[in-house]
């Protein structure tokens, strides 16, 4: 560092940033873009530096030297990955497990086909420019290595190597400039992080963050340095002393790439002292090449996404079992190659493979605000570990010291046991994601304000569905009636997860409820909720007792004969709610119909009731008012519903799973029902729904209410994509 007071200024900037984030959200919002600019200036040269360094490092070697270097390198990476994943697996093992599967879809495609293709696309590109645009770092690394090896066989390569060397130095020069912005950048980053962080989610995963931070620091300052001291003539404290500036700059910038020049200088100095009077030019080439290759391959901080995914599995209530769990370390290693920023893409890719919701990536970004400091330090230590070990091995200077090695094992095992104990402090006390536990979900704060200002939803809850409601008549029906009275009447059923239901606070919530609040707000009318019974729903709409019916309603031919419906907003297959231990008995309709003395529950819905009788003619159909007391109905073997509603029930009730059997072609279109003389209202609603779809509101609502617990790609399809 060219300015000896820079660390002090960075510390001052950090303190000021924390103060601003806590006490002045407005200032934090204003200076937040400064932090983004700082990070982008540091990251904008990562890919050019990566490509130039790999091609230069490999291309400047002769084929024979490169072969020797490869022969002396592979053992270093094996040591690195084994030791790193040993600690990471300890951290990951502290995550509570999800023993039961909330959804079993027997009609979905076999697992592994699409993920394998996606992994091939991630690692082996067919278009380098597309890989650059999408930040597929593993692909870029593969291409750079191939070109670097090819350059070894090119005779007239000095001009190309000179260009690559100039590009590499330019990248380092830019970092040297930008690093002096660290005090301001760190101040803005910390202020923005504190101001924008979702502390409820961070608190829920506090054990995860503590475990990852501890494990990363263990790797950075104990495991890797002690292992080097056991395999080389260099002492433990000598290694830490040589790397102190690299650790410092990486910590204050949270960018491991900023430490590379310092690591190179430190390793070259150590090698010059202990390797002996070797060719200094060749030695620097070996150090530079090894460090360049280690940057993408030794990003140990990225590998902690393995622990995150297991914690996220419990947090979002999505089990990871069998082959996926066994393959996860290997998949993490491959997808974690690259730069620290590429870990976000790795989480997105692996979340899709494991069936975690898209919210998992957002959660990882939020937890990175705490864990990234230790993760970066672990990566810096890993770069130095590989570079020192390969360089000393290349020159035959490895020296195994059994006592130091045993000491490293004892210290590492003791610290790992401590990390395991730390993880047990949280255990299963970590709460489920608030948007996975439907009973605790609520409307967004902006919608909740509207709900608090309008008590008609509570009036509706207190009113019995059989209470006589005055009907609109004549010209007062439909859109004209709503506009003249300044109020829209909404029929609802409070037992339809996740569309209309009562949460633990006694409020009416759900996808349909939120959408209707938004609709009434945009119409500038009051909102009144009126409960209905399934058997009288059509008659109530025809009698104009309410203007619009919501509650996960299906659009059927029979309903369209007497009513009119909005455009479908969702589509879902038929599913069964069954006890978890009996899932395999419901794999197909033929298998279900072969079960003796089968009893299936269904509420008196004009669509589900005849469908249940038609689909399962040998079963006893038990009509129930709702599924609230399903667990106490010991004579009932299963209940019929759509997948989304069955899944919401299974997630919210212990011991149940939602099953989609084979040979069940029935799929439902969800929409909002109105009387036949409400043509203007349905046109208005359809136009409004199209606007909400185009501005992303419907997509956002779907992620929160319908897509929080599992990947919907194989189970359901938004109606707009049919």
């Amino acid at each position: 560092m060219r300015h000896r007071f820079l660390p002090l200024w960075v510390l001052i900037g950090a303190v000021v940033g924390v103060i601003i984030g806590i006490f002045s959200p407005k200032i934090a919002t204003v200076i937040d873009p400064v932090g983004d600019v700082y990070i982008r200036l540091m990251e904008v040269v990562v890919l050019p530096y990566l490509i130039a360094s790999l091609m230069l490092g490999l291309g400047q070697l002769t084929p024979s030297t490169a072969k020797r270097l490869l022969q002396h390198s592979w053992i270093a990476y094996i040591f690195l990955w084994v030791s790193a994943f040993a600690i990471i697996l300890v951290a990951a093992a502290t995550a509570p497990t999800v023993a039961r599967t909330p959804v079993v879809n027997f009609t979905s495609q076999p697992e592994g086909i699409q993920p394998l293709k996606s992994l091939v696309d991630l690692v082996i590109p067919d278009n380098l420019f597309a890989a650059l645009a999408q930040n597929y770092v593993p692909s870029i690394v593969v291409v750079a290595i191939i070109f670097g090896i090819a350059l070894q066989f090119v005779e007239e390569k000095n001009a190309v190597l000179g260009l690559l060397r100039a590009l590499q130095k330019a990248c380092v020069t830019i970092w040297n400039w930008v690093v002096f912005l660290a005090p301001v950048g760190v101040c803005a980053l910390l202020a923005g992080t504190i101001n924008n962080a979702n502390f409820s989610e961070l608190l829920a995963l506090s054990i995860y963050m503590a475990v990852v931070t501890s494990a990363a620091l263990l790797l950075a300052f104990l495991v890797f340095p002690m292992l080097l001291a056991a395999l080389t003539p260099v002492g433990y404290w000598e290694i830490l002393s040589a790397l102190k500036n690299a650790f410092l700059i990486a910590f204050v910038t949270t960018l491991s790439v900023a430490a590379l020049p310092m690591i190179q200088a430190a390793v070259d100095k150590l090698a010059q002292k202990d390797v002996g009077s070797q060719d200094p030019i060749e030695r620097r080439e070996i150090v530079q090449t090894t460090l360049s290759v280690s940057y993408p391959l030794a990003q140990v901080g990225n590998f902690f996404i393995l622990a995150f995914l297991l914690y996220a599995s419990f947090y979002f209530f999505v089990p990871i079992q069998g082959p996926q769990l066994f393959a996860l370390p290997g998949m993490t290693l491959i997808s974690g190659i690259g730069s620290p920023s590429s870990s976000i893409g790795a989480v997105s890719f692996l979340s899709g493979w494991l069936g975690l919701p898209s919210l998992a990536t957002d959660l990882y970004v939020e937890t990175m605000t705490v864990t990234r400091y230790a993760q970066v330090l672990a990566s810096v230590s890993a770069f130095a570990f590989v570079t020192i070990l390969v360089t000393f091995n290349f020159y035959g200077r490895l020296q195994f010291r059994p006592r130091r090695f045993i000491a490293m094992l004892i210290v590492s095992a003791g610290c790992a046991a401590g990390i395991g104990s730390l993880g047990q402090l949280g255990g299963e006390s970590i709460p489920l994601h608030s948007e996975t536990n439907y009973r605790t979900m609520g409307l967004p704060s902006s919608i909740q304000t509207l709900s608090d200002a309008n008590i008609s939803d509570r009036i509706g809850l207190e009113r019995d569905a059989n209470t006589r409601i005055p009907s609109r008549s004549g010209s007062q029906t439909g859109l004209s009636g709503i506009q003249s009275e300044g109020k829209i009447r909404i029929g609802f059923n409070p037992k339809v997860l996740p569309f209309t239901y009562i949460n633990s606070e006694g409020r009416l919530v759900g996808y349909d409820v939120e959408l209707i609040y938004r609709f009434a707000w945009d119409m500038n009318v009051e909102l009144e909720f009126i409960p209905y019974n399934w058997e009288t729903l059509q008659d109530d709409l025809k009698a104009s007792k309410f203007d619009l019916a919501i509650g996960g309603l299906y659009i059927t031919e029979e309903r369209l004969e007497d009513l009119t419906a909005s455009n479908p907003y969702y589509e879902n297959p038929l599913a069964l709610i069954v006890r978890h231990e009996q899932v395999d008995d419901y794999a197909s309709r033929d298998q279900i119909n072969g079960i003796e003395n089968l009893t299936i529950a269904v509420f008196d819905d004009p669509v589900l009731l005849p469908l249940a009788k038609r689909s399962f003619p040998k079963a006893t159909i038990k009509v129930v008012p709702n599924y609230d007391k399903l667990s106490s109905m010991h004579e009932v073997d299963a209940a019929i519903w759509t997948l989304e509603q069955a899944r919401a029930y299974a997630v919210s009730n212990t011991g149940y799973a939602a099953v989609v059997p084979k040979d069940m072609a029935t799929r439902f279109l969800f929409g909002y029902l109105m009387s036949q003389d409400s043509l203007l209202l349905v046109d208005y609603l359809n136009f409004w729904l199209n606007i909400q779809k185009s501005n992303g509101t419907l997509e956002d609502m779907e992620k929160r209410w319908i897509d929080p617990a599992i990947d919907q790609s194989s189970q359901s399809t938004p109606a707009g994509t049919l």
Side-chain angles (χ1 to χ4, degrees):
M1 298 179 69
R2 293 182 297 176
H3 199 301
R4 57 180 179 175
F5 294 112
L6 181 59
L8 176 61
W9 284 111
V10 170
L11 178 61
I12 294 173
V15 172
V16 172
V18 171
I19 294 173
I20 292 174
I22 295 175
F23 297 105
S24 184
K26 290 184 178 180
I27 297 179
T29 302
V30 171
I31 67 174
D32 188 49
V34 177
D36 291 337
V37 170
Y38 170 68
I39 290 294
R40 293 186 183 194
L41 288 174
M42 294 294 286
E43 290 185 341
V44 73
V45 292
V46 168
L47 291 182
Y49 178 87
L50 186 61
I51 295 172
S53 296
L54 285 172
M55 291 179 63
L56 174 63
L58 293 171
Q60 67 187 357
L61 301 177
T62 63
S64 59
T65 303
K67 185 177 180 180
R68 285 179 57 204
L69 182 60
L70 176 62
Q71 291 173 342
H72 293 90
S73 296
W74 66 269
I75 188 67
Y77 286 102
I78 296 300
F79 266 112
L80 175 80
W81 292 334
V82 170
S83 56
F85 273 96
I87 300 300
I88 292 172
L89 287 174
V90 170
T94 63
T97 57
V98 180
R100 62 189 179 93
T101 305
V103 174
V104 179
N105 190 344
F106 289 104
T107 66
S108 61
Q109 295 181 349
E111 295 179 352
I113 296 178
Q114 288 302 115
L116 180 59
K117 182 181 183 303
S118 299
L119 186 61
V120 170
D121 292 339
L122 183 70
V123 176
I124 305 175
D126 57 357
N127 187 325
L128 176 60
F129 296 101
L132 287 167
Q134 299 177 52
N135 200 29
Y136 284 179
V137 178
S139 298
I140 298 167
V141 169
V142 168
V143 171
I145 290 175
I146 292 174
F147 273 87
I149 295 173
L151 279 174
Q152 296 172 6
F153 299 91
V154 176
E155 294 182 1
E156 299 178 356
K157 60 181 179 181
N158 290 334
V160 176
L161 294 179
L163 178 62
L164 293 173
R165 189 174 291 107
L167 179 59
Q168 184 191 53
K169 290 181 178 180
C171 293
V172 174
T173 300
I174 293 173
W175 280 322
N176 285 333
W177 292 341
V178 177
V179 78
F180 281 94
L181 299 176
V184 178
V186 169
C187 174
L189 284 172
L190 284 176
T193 297
I194 293 173
N195 185 45
N196 298 325
N198 187 331
F199 288 102
S200 61
E201 291 187 343
L202 293 180
L203 182 62
L205 290 177
S206 57
I207 294 296
Y208 155 75
M209 292 184 291
V211 164
V212 166
T213 299
S214 301
L217 293 177
L218 172 61
L219 287 174
F221 296 112
L222 287 177
V223 175
F224 293 149
M226 292 185 73
L227 190 54
L228 279 175
L231 299 174
T232 68
V234 187
Y236 171 76
W237 293 109
E238 187 179 3
I239 293 170
L240 290 183
S241 177
L243 296 175
K244 64 179 183 297
N245 285 338
F247 283 133
L248 180 60
I249 192 63
F251 182 80
V252 299
T253 62
T254 67
L255 292 171
S256 58
V257 70
L260 293 182
M262 297 174 185
I263 297 174
Q264 182 174 336
V267 175
D268 191 56
K269 184 177 180 180
L270 291 174
Q272 183 179 4
K273 173 186 174 184
D274 292 290
V275 168
S277 57
Q278 302 291 340
D279 182 357
I281 297 178
E282 182 191 54
R283 188 182 65 242
R284 282 194 293 270
E285 289 179 351
I286 296 300
V287 171
Q288 183 184 55
T289 301
T290 304
L291 183 59
S292 300
V293 175
S294 72
Y295 177 73
L297 299 183
Q299 285 283 353
V300 169
N302 287 6
F303 302 153
F304 280 95
I305 60 179
L306 171 63
F308 169 79
L309 291 168
L310 292 181
Y311 269 89
S313 165
F314 179 81
Y315 190 55
F316 290 105
F317 203 72
V318 180
I320 303 175
Q321 298 171 344
Q324 284 185 320
L325 187 61
F326 181 78
L328 186 56
M331 295 287 285
T332 301
L333 175 61
I334 296 173
S335 57
I337 291 173
S339 63
S341 60
S342 65
S343 66
I344 299 173
V347 169
S348 179
F349 166 73
L350 292 173
S351 295
W353 175 58
L354 296 172
L356 294 170
S358 56
L359 289 172
T361 304
D362 298 334
L363 185 62
Y364 177 73
V365 172
E366 289 185 6
T367 57
M368 273 185 68
T369 60
V370 176
T371 63
R372 62 183 178 185
Y373 297 94
Q375 287 175 277
V376 164
L377 292 176
S379 293
V380 169
S381 188
F383 303 156
F385 173 85
V386 170
T387 308
I388 292 173
L389 198 60
V390 170
T391 303
F392 278 66
N393 190 28
F394 186 86
Y395 289 107
R397 293 289 294 161
L398 292 185
Q399 184 177 352
F400 181 65
R401 300 169 185 252
R403 291 185 179 180
R404 292 185 179 183
F405 187 76
I406 293 173
M408 184 273 298
L409 292 178
I410 293 174
V411 172
S412 299
C415 293
I419 291 172
S421 300
L422 176 62
Q424 297 304 315
L425 293 177
E428 297 200 10
S429 63
I430 297 175
L432 287 174
H433 181 34
S434 61
E435 295 174 357
T436 302
N437 188 350
Y438 286 93
R439 296 301 180 186
T440 62
M441 287 181 66
L443 299 174
S445 56
S446 58
I447 304 298
Q448 191 68 57
T449 301
L450 301 179
S451 175
D452 291 339
N454 187 334
I455 64 171
S456 56
D457 58 340
R458 301 192 188 104
I459 294 174
L461 295 180
E462 295 168 0
R463 179 190 293 138
D464 186 84
N466 295 317
T467 302
R468 188 175 183 277
I469 307 297
S471 303
R472 298 188 193 272
S473 59
S475 61
Q476 298 302 309
T477 60
L479 185 60
S480 60
I482 295 170
Q483 292 173 334
S484 61
E485 188 177 344
K487 177 190 293 185
I488 183 170
R489 296 182 177 185
I490 303 298
F492 76 100
N493 187 300
K495 306 290 185 180
V496 188
L497 286 166
F499 297 95
T500 55
Y501 67 98
I502 309 301
N503 66 8
S504 57
E505 296 181 355
R507 290 183 176 274
L508 180 63
V509 298
Y511 179 96
D512 288 353
V513 176
E514 179 181 338
L515 186 136
I516 287 302
Y517 266 110
R518 295 180 182 276
F519 182 57
W521 172 261
D522 287 346
M523 288 188 71
N524 194 27
V525 295
E526 294 181 8
L527 188 59
E528 182 178 2
F529 287 97
I530 301 172
Y532 62 73
N533 292 321
W534 294 110
E535 60 271 18
T536 63
L537 171 60
Q538 290 184 229
D539 291 338
D540 289 343
L541 280 169
K542 290 165 66 176
S544 299
K545 289 187 176 180
F546 35 81
D547 306 295
L548 186 71
I550 64 174
L553 296 171
Y554 321 130
I555 301 175
T556 64
E557 184 177 353
E558 293 79 6
R559 282 177 170 171
L560 291 179
E561 290 178 357
D562 297 324
L563 305 171
T564 186
S566 69
N567 292 334
Y569 62 88
Y570 205 70
E571 181 256 0
N572 224 210
L574 182 70
L576 292 168
I577 302 171
V578 303
R579 291 179 177 84
H580 189 261
E581 64 273 12
Q582 298 175 336
V583 164
D584 292 336
D585 297 334
Y586 294 82
S588 67
R589 182 163 62 176
D590 292 340
Q591 192 171 341
I592 296 171
N593 285 325
I595 301 175
E596 295 184 2
N597 302 319
L598 176 66
T599 299
I600 296 178
V602 60
F603 49 83
D604 194 10
D605 180 271
V607 177
L608 288 180
L609 183 56
L611 177 62
K613 294 178 179 179
R614 186 170 62 252
S615 300
F616 310 109
K618 297 181 180 180
T620 299
I621 304 299
K622 181 179 178 63
V623 180
V624 298
N626 53 66
Y627 295 149
D628 283 356
K629 298 181 179 180
L630 185 62
S631 59
S632 63
M633 300 177 188
H634 301 294
E635 74 280 9
V636 172
D637 301 295
I640 192 170
W641 222 347
T642 66
L643 174 60
E644 278 310 322
Q645 294 158 324
R647 177 183 65 81
Y649 183 92
V651 169
S652 302
N653 294 271
T654 303
Y656 286 91
V659 177
V660 180
K662 295 179 182 177
D663 310 321
M664 295 292 292
T666 303
R667 301 185 74 87
F668 297 93
L669 294 177
F670 289 77
Y672 303 109
L673 299 181
M674 289 151 276
S675 62
Q676 279 192 337
D677 57 357
S678 300
L679 297 180
L680 287 177
L681 177 59
V682 73
D683 287 342
Y684 185 92
L685 177 59
N686 287 336
F687 180 77
W688 182 84
L689 286 172
N690 287 333
I691 295 176
Q692 305 313 302
K693 181 179 179 180
S694 62
N695 64 22
T697 299
L698 296 186
E699 180 181 2
D700 177 66
M701 289 175 54
E702 185 177 322
K703 287 180 179 179
R704 284 186 287 105
W705 292 104
I706 299 180
D707 186 36
I710 58 171
D711 177 14
Q712 302 295 319
S713 58
S714 61
Q715 284 90 9
S716 58
T717 308
T721 63
L722 291 177

